[in-house]
Amino acid sequence: MSSLVVVGAQWGDEGKGKLVDYLTSNADLVIRFQGGNNAGHTLNVDGVETKLRLIPSGILHDGTQCLIGAGVVFNSEVLLSEMGQLADVGKKVDPSRIVLDRDAHLILPYHEAIDMAREERRGKDKIGTTGRGIGPTYEDRANRSGVRAAELLKLDELRVKLEKTIEEKNLYLRTVLESERQVTWDEVWGVVERAAERLVPHLGNVSLMLHEARLAEKRIVFEGAQGTLLDQMHGTVPFVTSSNTISGAVLTGCGTGPRSIDHILGVAKAYCTRVGSGPFPTELEDATGDFLREKGGEFGTVTGRPRRCGWFDAVAMKRAVRLNGIDSLAITKLDVLSGVEKLQICINYHLNGEKVDDVPSLASDLESVEPEYLTFDGWEADLTQARKWHHLPQEARFYLSTLSEIVGCPISVVSVGPERQSTLFSSGGNFIRNFLV
Ligand code: GDP
Ligand code: IMO
Ligand code: MG
């Protein structure tokens, strides 16, 4: 029937999980297309919180099939434990419900060891990765030495390959990274055997399933992880993740063509956060930043690290709209801004006294930009019960409509709380509204 991409438009944690849960109530398929268990997507339904790293955020709707595409890298232990937790609360997680693409890459203990050893060596210049082995796994995919899910079907062949690989990885850890960590055969093979035993029934061909679903006019949601500014190519390099996070990654990550996408929804907070190192022009290292962190519960889902907070950055958002081809925006966490007396939106960057027309490419330039702000009156009212656009205070409506105008993109959805139903439509929300019925 139609398909919708949900993509992070900032530095991750925009509330993609909440939106995907909300938008999959009538969806047939939901597909993760990139990233891995560096993602942490939170759903809140009837007072119960569910945190997901690999399983798509449509899992709470019994009629929605959950697919993990070839573009994803997965830690099999995390995937199995997530399935176990969901089964414990009565969710169906059998192989007809959860399908892992045969070409998705497996994260193994040496990937995590290398990720962490590299971060330690970088010292104060560290990227602040999640330490989950994401970068080293994508590297192995690119250099053709990674392990794909389908290889779990031929353990004899995989054993020979891994004997060599483990030796090489340990040599690299010891001599290049000067790490004391050495991975053992038993720890790697234990992971492989458990994965082979439990995940093989879930292996499938997501590209083919998607093709058939399109022919059958099914309703499909593609769920992004991380955010546009963490894209390995177009983000704030080198302080980024190791996958393409933008909507273009749907095509490679699922094995489909551009015509499989009908609408691209960019998810953005009404302010901005970032976890890990790297430039952040609108960062607030003051009482307002602390207020947003506390009120917004801005602590990492995966690592528990405090998230850095700042004002909404319209320069970066215009770039996100362009890089993804965003058709409409979902603005989340508007409720968190209640009680801030004056709000600001960054409308321009100045570098060495000159206005720049896009986010600079070099991190050192982005560190040096001077943001130019537009100031807004805040509001006091609690927004968490608002369910219609006209329930929002006039100041909040003005803040959103001006934001939309500056960025040049309609707002379709506004989120005013973590709960599924704390969500309302704006006038730009027709596609999304129709998608739900
Ligand atoms: P994701 O990675 O994009 O799925 O986002 P996370 O789940 O990592 O972080 C978003 C956090 O904000 C979660 O704790 C959500 O429950 C919460 N959240 C989502 N939308 C809203 C909202 O509109 N208001 C508030 N207060 N919290 C929200
Ligand atoms: P979701 O899907 C926020 C950040 C890390 C680090 C950088 C590289 O929940 O929005 P990595 O482990 O990927 O090599 O780390 O990327 N990062 C995220 N930040 N949300 C995420 O995912 C993230 N996934 C990775 O903090 O700065
Ligand atoms: Mg998250």
Side-chain angles (χ1 to χ4, degrees), residues 286-304:
D286 60 9
T288 310
D290 294 342
F291 173 87
L292 296 175
R293 185 173 313 107
E294 287 306 318
K295 185 154 182 223
E298 298 295 359
F299 297 89
T301 313
V302 173
T303 57

Side-chain angles (χ1 to χ4, degrees), residues 13 16 39-41 301 307:
D13 303 327
K16 299 175 291 296
H41 295 181
T301 313
R307 295 176 186 147

Side-chain angles (χ1 to χ4, degrees), residues 11-14 16 38-41 115 127-132 134-135 224-227 230 239-242 274-277 305:
W11 276 292
D13 303 327
E14 298 91 345
K16 299 175 291 296
N38 47 349
H41 295 181
D115 190 0
I127 292 167
T129 72
T130 58
R132 299 304 190 263
I134 305 298
Q226 292 80 54
L230 290 170
F239 301 99
V240 291
T241 191
S242 295
R274 154 160 229 176
V275 53
S277 327
R305 292 178 290 177

Side-chain angles (χ1 to χ4, degrees), residues 418-434:
E419 282 281 328
R420 184 189 278 167
Q421 73 271 17
S422 307
T423 313
L424 56 98
F425 291 111
S426 148
S427 53
N430 282 344
F431 181 93
I432 305 293
R433 216 189 293 259
N434 291 336

Side-chain angles (χ1 to χ4, degrees), residues 84-316:
Q85 284 164 17
L86 288 161
D88 286 347
V89 293
K91 289 292 141 199
K92 197 172 136 201
V93 291
D94 62 40
S96 68
R97 178 93 200 276
I98 296 181
V99 178
L100 171 67
D101 192 87
R102 57 196 197 158
D103 291 327
H105 273 247
L106 184 57
I107 302 176
L108 286 165
Y110 50 79
H111 293 121
E112 289 173 336
I114 291 171
D115 190 0
M116 286 189 272
R118 280 198 192 136
E119 283 286 90
E120 203 172 311
R121 250 177 96 76
R122 286 187 189 112
K124 66 172 181 36
D125 297 324
K126 67 174 193 277
I127 292 167
T129 72
T130 58
R132 299 304 190 263
I134 305 298
T137 308
Y138 277 117
E139 273 172 46
D140 279 2
R141 186 179 83 178
N143 73 24
R144 295 147 294 183
S145 66
V147 176
R148 291 179 297 157
E151 292 178 62
L152 296 170
L153 293 165
K154 292 202 172 168
L155 287 187
D156 288 347
E157 288 178 21
L158 184 54
R159 175 185 283 275
V160 175
K161 170 170 161 173
L162 278 177
E163 275 166 1
K164 282 204 204 98
T165 309
I166 292 172
E167 200 182 302
E168 266 178 32
K169 299 293 179 186
N170 275 335
L171 183 68
Y172 177 70
L173 277 161
R174 207 166 50 238
T175 57
V176 178
L177 299 180
E178 295 172 315
S179 167
E180 283 170 14
R181 172 84 163 95
Q182 295 283 280
V183 295
T184 65
W185 169 259
D186 285 350
E187 68 180 304
V188 176
W189 197 247
V191 168
V192 168
E193 279 187 326
R194 274 190 295 281
E197 191 188 326
R198 310 250 328 262
L199 289 178
V200 161
H202 291 269
L203 295 193
N205 183 335
V206 168
S207 167
L208 190 56
M209 289 174 77
L210 173 58
H211 179 69
E212 285 166 357
R214 288 290 289 175
L215 289 179
E217 302 201 334
K218 301 272 189 193
R219 208 179 299 214
I220 301 156
V221 174
F222 299 99
E223 176 177 0
Q226 292 80 54
T228 301
L229 299 169
L230 290 170
D231 184 277
Q232 72 169 151
M233 210 189 290
H234 302 283
T236 52
V237 179
F239 301 99
V240 291
T241 191
S242 295
S243 66
N244 286 113
T245 58
I246 58 176
S247 61
V250 167
L251 314 182
T252 51
C254 297
T256 192
R259 287 185 189 84
S260 295
I261 299 176
D262 297 319
H263 189 93
I264 298 167
L265 178 72
V267 187
K269 286 178 189 171
Y271 49 98
C272 219
T273 64
R274 154 160 229 176
V275 53
S277 327
F280 183 178
T282 62
E283 183 168 13
L284 287 162
E285 291 174 285
D286 60 9
T288 310
D290 294 342
F291 173 87
L292 296 175
R293 185 173 313 107
E294 287 306 318
K295 185 154 182 223
E298 298 295 359
F299 297 89
T301 313
V302 173
T303 57
R305 292 178 290 177
R307 295 176 186 147
R308 300 153 67 193
C309 298
W311 297 124
F312 187 89
D313 184 339
V315 179

Side-chain angles (χ1 to χ4, degrees), residues 4-9 12-21 23 30-36 38-42 52-57 67 72 138 221-228 241 243-250 254 264-267 324:
L4 173 67
V5 179
V6 177
V7 76
D13 303 327
E14 298 91 345
K16 299 175 291 296
K18 174 194 157 154
L19 262 297
V20 170
D21 167 64
L23 295 167
V30 51
I31 316 180
R32 273 280 306 269
F33 55 90
Q34 48 71 232
N38 47 349
H41 295 181
T42 318
L52 301 168
R53 293 172 184 190
L54 284 164
I55 292 185
S57 301
L67 275 47
V72 171
Y138 277 117
V221 174
F222 299 99
E223 176 177 0
Q226 292 80 54
T228 301
T241 191
S243 66
N244 286 113
T245 58
I246 58 176
S247 61
V250 167
C254 297
I264 298 167
L265 178 72
V267 187
N324 291 289

